[in-house]
Amino acid sequence: MKYFFLTAVVAVFFSSCKRDFEPPVPVNDWSLFLSAPATSLPSFTRNKIEGIYTVRDGSILFGNQAAMKWSYTKTGADTVFQLSLFSPLDAIYIILEGRRLNNDILLNGYWRRNVNVETGKVRLTITAANGATALLNNVTADSIILSGVYGNTDEIPEVALSLKYLRPLRNNTGFEILAHRGGGRNADLLPASENSLEMIRLAAGFGATGVEIDVHQTRDGELILYHDATLNERLIVKNGMVGPIENYSYAQLDALVQLKRGGKIPTLRQALQTILFQTPLRFVWLDTKLTGSLENLRALQKEFIQIANANGRQLQIFIGVPTKEVLNQFTQLPAYRNIPSLSELDVPTTESINANIWAPTWTQGLQTEEVNRMQAQGRSVITWTLDGPDRIDKFLNEGSFNGILSNQPSAVAYYFYAKQ
């Protein structure tokens, strides 16, 4: 079993001077959890732990209610299952791993406030008397209570935290929680670089069912993940390379460029392989930033849709059409009206290219009439990039969207799963 360690480097700006800060790294040192007798949880036990919980102790930090859901990442034959807790306050989340020790269930990990560098350890237990006996025997428990402690930074956790099972999660069939830039921006103070393979692996743990990723093309035609048009210190470690990313070959980028928070600039092929074979993500929005032909992009989309189908994997991949320039290239593709696509343009344009999804910005409001028109035609509607708990709550309660793209997928996850 591979255990996670929270690593992050965050950029904070004071006036015009940028300084780098590294939030403390909670070390996985709970001796009971790491002891030899502690073993992996059965899948049926994990499934029965999911749900909406009332926060009894710890509500000052985590709110009065939380949603808990499992995700996983795979590396070869090794699968790491993680239980995420999503809170309505400041997009706080907890990520835990679970083990069985005798008749108890141990949950060990860390909490993080998404709006700053606050973090700390979390240690929770479901005792035999509080539901573990039933859960470990594939029986629905009369009551599930998680009790334990949390702390700040790398300190020994001592503050009481307890949660009691309230009801099942809302079914998310047909609704997409999409994480921006592969899982989050560098500015979001996360433990990986935006649009990196590691960020993609983290996305499901943040609550995402899918990701938006930014696609550029190198000088030699390799499709890569990178948001900005140029190499710059916001995204990469300073190395003297500047200017449009399209001016460089992939070999140059791979050999000489280090992403700001670790890792290399990945190819789109590497990203799709990671999504398909290492995560439970089911939706990919290819935010197209190409300036020329989309033939290579379409070929890769088609290839991975076929691979996903052959592997019995539910994975939708959509070519994004964000501008008129990309639209002109998209309509040059053979049978473009049959290509899975997502349009950020107006409703008539979306209809003209037969896009599967219309994606208006949240700043245009709920647009109930337009949303209903699109859905009546069999299209889905996803709004972007929606952040802030109050705004997310409003759009979920008053709107009728089929998905939300956000820099705070954990907040979207809470409000969606907790909605009755």
Side-chain angles (χ1 to χ4, degrees):
M1 173 70 72
K2 180 175 65 178
Y3 298 101
F4 58 82
F5 295 89
L6 175 63
T7 58
V9 180
V10 299
V12 181
F13 289 82
F14 293 98
S15 302
S16 61
C17 179
K18 187 177 82 171
R19 301 170 59 194
D20 285 337
F21 291 82
E22 182 174 345
V25 179
V27 177
N28 182 6
D29 58 358
W30 189 9
S31 58
L32 280 179
F33 189 86
L34 298 172
S35 65
T39 58
S40 300
L41 294 177
S43 60
F44 57 77
T45 298
R46 292 194 302 270
N47 293 338
K48 289 180 180 298
I49 293 174
E50 288 188 339
I52 303 300
Y53 284 74
T54 299
V55 181
R56 305 200 301 183
D57 298 310
S59 60
I60 292 177
L61 181 63
F62 298 104
N64 295 320
Q65 194 169 269
M68 301 189 76
K69 192 174 193 309
W70 288 93
S71 64
Y72 68 82
T73 56
K74 289 184 178 181
T75 304
D78 184 20
T79 301
V80 177
F81 293 96
Q82 297 176 332
L83 179 63
S84 297
L85 178 150
F86 308 119
S87 163
L89 299 182
D90 292 334
I92 288 179
Y93 59 85
I94 299 176
I95 296 181
L96 306 157
E97 290 185 29
R99 307 203 83 182
R100 171 182 184 167
L101 182 62
N102 300 320
N103 293 316
D104 294 339
I105 296 171
L106 307 182
L107 299 166
N108 182 46
Y110 69 91
W111 67 271
R112 177 66 192 280
R113 191 190 299 270
N114 197 40
V115 297
N116 56 33
V117 298
E118 291 182 64
T119 187
K121 300 176 184 179
V122 177
R123 298 173 181 174
L124 296 170
T125 300
I126 306 175
T127 65
N130 284 333
T133 297
L135 294 171
L136 291 169
N137 287 281
N138 200 17
V139 176
T140 300
D142 293 332
S143 175
I144 303 172
I145 298 175
L146 289 69
S147 59
V149 290
Y150 73 92
N152 293 307
T153 64
D154 210 21
E155 301 169 356
I156 297 173
E158 296 179 337
V159 184
L161 174 61
S162 66
L163 306 99
K164 184 175 182 179
Y165 182 87
L166 181 63
R167 63 176 185 272
L169 297 174
R170 179 186 178 196
N171 190 308
N172 74 333
T173 302
F175 188 88
E176 302 298 341
I177 301 169
L178 304 183
H180 197 208
R181 302 186 192 178
R185 306 163 299 183
N186 284 353
D188 295 326
L189 318 179
L190 297 170
S193 299
E194 64 183 61
N195 278 318
S196 67
L197 298 182
E198 183 57 27
M199 183 65 83
I200 289 170
R201 294 185 190 100
L202 294 173
F206 297 152
T209 62
V211 290
E212 177 261 11
I213 51 180
D214 302 283
V215 183
H216 280 271
Q217 188 164 262
T218 63
R219 186 181 64 198
D220 52 342
E222 186 72 62
L223 296 173
I224 61 170
L225 268 59
Y226 193 82
H227 179 271
D228 295 359
T230 62
L231 293 175
N232 60 69
E233 290 184 57
R234 189 188 76 80
L235 293 177
I236 69 170
V237 176
K238 185 177 181 179
N239 64 358
M241 296 172 68
V242 296
I245 196 164
E246 284 84 357
N247 288 354
Y248 296 92
S249 69
Y250 178 68
Q252 289 175 305
L253 297 174
D254 188 51
L256 302 173
V257 173
Q258 180 80 9
L259 291 173
K260 189 72 174 180
R261 313 212 181 285
K264 295 284 189 177
I265 295 175
T267 65
L268 178 57
R269 178 176 294 277
Q270 290 171 334
L272 293 176
Q273 287 172 334
T274 298
I275 291 166
L276 181 59
F277 295 112
Q278 297 185 29
T279 80
L281 298 171
R282 68 191 189 198
F283 188 109
V284 182
W285 174 344
L286 302 175
D287 193 354
T288 310
K289 299 184 181 297
L290 310 186
T291 57
S293 171
L294 304 185
E295 290 181 1
N296 290 345
L297 184 64
R298 167 55 180 156
L300 207 56
Q301 176 201 37
K302 185 176 181 180
E303 176 186 346
F304 272 87
I305 289 175
Q306 291 173 342
I307 294 173
N309 291 337
N311 283 272
R313 182 76 159 77
Q314 180 189 4
L315 182 64
Q316 300 182 84
I317 306 172
F318 298 94
I319 293 177
V321 182
T323 65
K324 290 184 178 180
E325 291 73 20
V326 173
L327 173 66
N328 291 336
Q329 293 296 330
F330 183 76
T331 56
Q332 298 303 309
L333 295 171
Y336 67 87
R337 286 177 54 84
N338 296 322
I339 295 173
S341 63
L342 178 154
S343 168
E344 296 180 37
L345 303 175
D346 58 31
V347 166
T349 301
T350 300
E351 294 170 331
S352 72
I353 64 174
N354 196 33
N356 305 78
I357 297 167
W358 180 48
T361 174
W362 74 269
T363 57
Q364 297 178 47
L366 299 178
Q367 298 189 93
T368 303
E369 183 178 341
E370 293 84 351
V371 170
N372 290 341
R373 171 176 166 179
M374 291 286 91
Q375 292 172 339
Q377 296 172 5
R379 308 183 206 280
S380 296
V381 183
I382 295 174
T383 189
W384 62 275
T385 299
L386 186 63
D387 296 332
D390 291 343
R391 190 178 296 133
I392 290 168
D393 189 25
K394 173 183 172 67
F395 271 65
L396 278 169
N397 279 298
E398 299 179 19
S400 54
F401 297 97
N402 303 104
I404 291 174
L405 171 66
S406 179
N407 295 302
Q408 299 172 339
S410 59
V412 180
Y414 168 76
Y415 283 105
F416 177 80
Y417 289 120
K419 182 180 178 182
Q420 292 183 288

